[in-house]
Amino acid sequence: MLVSDINSYLAEHGRASMADLTNRFDVAPAALRGMLDLLAKKGRIARLKAAGDCGSCCKCDPAT
């Protein structure tokens, strides 16, 4: 898997969660995070904040 594959996927879908990307590309979140950081550094993607009152129920992992 290449960084360009992730870039193409996000260009086509607009946005995706970490879970979506790890499932799509069958890669560990730690490895994916490095590639996403590279794309963010180049200004091709940006991290979005969770919508709503996320963070108060503790049911989700904030890293996803």
Side-chain angles (χ1 to χ4, degrees):
M1 178 192 53
L2 302 170
V3 174
S4 62
D5 295 332
I6 297 170
N7 190 43
S8 297
Y9 181 84
L10 292 173
E12 182 179 329
H13 291 89
R15 63 174 81 174
S17 68
M18 182 68 85
D20 291 339
L21 294 172
T22 56
N23 288 334
R24 167 65 177 92
F25 295 105
D26 193 30
V27 65
L32 186 61
R33 207 167 280 116
M35 291 179 244
L36 294 172
D37 288 343
L38 178 65
L39 288 171
K41 216 177 211 188
K42 291 183 173 188
R44 303 205 181 207
I45 63 170
R47 182 181 298 249
L48 298 175
K49 298 274 185 193
D53 293 329
C54 187
S56 61
C57 71
C58 300
K59 290 183 182 177
C60 299
D61 179 6
T64 62

